Amino acid sequence: MRTVVISLVSYGTNLKELSKVLSFTNDLKKIKHKVYIFDNANQKNLKLFFKKKKINYCASKDNLGFGNGHNYNINKTIKIKPVYLILNPDIYLNSKQFIYCLKVLQS
């Protein structure tokens, strides 16, 4: 199975909300995945939190927008030819829903 890259772009989203959005990844022990966060607001607390969690994080000094943030994440990972899941910072999935999405993406 190919690696799944979960791409999320934030602008001023608080840490509690982002943690809630990404909580489903805690149950993905058997699925090879990587999470990439692009922060358009350059929030210091997010940088520290994601570094501790070993989640790929990039911050921009300027708001480059939703599309450019995801394009950045895609360009960072395109060489591994993953399956991409593009998320908004207000989309909540559980692991069963994610696995269903993955099956649809792979079909």
Side-chain angles (χ1 to χ4, degrees):
M1 179 188 312
R2 292 179 8 203
T3 299
V4 178
V5 169
I6 300 161
S7 177
L8 197 142
V9 174
S10 171
Y11 181 77
T13 309
N14 70 50
L15 184 55
K16 184 178 177 182
E17 287 297 309
L18 288 175
S19 294
K20 185 177 173 183
V21 169
L22 295 172
S23 65
F24 75 95
T25 62
N26 296 328
D27 298 329
L28 302 179
K29 309 267 189 269
K30 295 183 180 181
I31 297 174
K32 188 174 179 183
H33 67 284
K34 296 180 180 192
V35 178
Y36 282 76
I37 307 290
F38 189 90
D39 182 8
N40 273 312
N42 197 11
Q43 299 177 78
K44 302 274 187 255
N45 65 327
L46 296 185
K47 181 179 183 177
L48 294 173
F49 178 79
F50 289 121
K51 184 177 182 178
K52 288 179 187 175
K53 293 278 189 180
K54 297 181 181 174
I55 290 177
N56 301 287
Y57 174 86
C58 180
S60 175
K61 293 180 183 177
D62 300 311
N63 182 359
L64 301 179
F66 183 79
N68 281 334
H70 285 298
N71 287 342
Y72 178 88
N73 290 342
I74 289 169
N75 286 331
K76 283 293 206 183
T77 59
I78 201 151
K79 289 181 181 177
I80 63 171
K81 299 180 182 178
V83 172
Y84 290 97
L85 179 62
I86 307 292
L87 290 179
N88 279 359
D90 60 352
I91 299 214
Y92 307 107
L93 298 170
N94 61 42
S95 57
K96 288 181 183 178
Q97 292 166 326
F98 172 78
I99 290 168
Y100 175 77
C101 288
L102 184 58
K103 287 179 182 177
V104 170
L105 286 170
Q106 291 178 325
S107 66

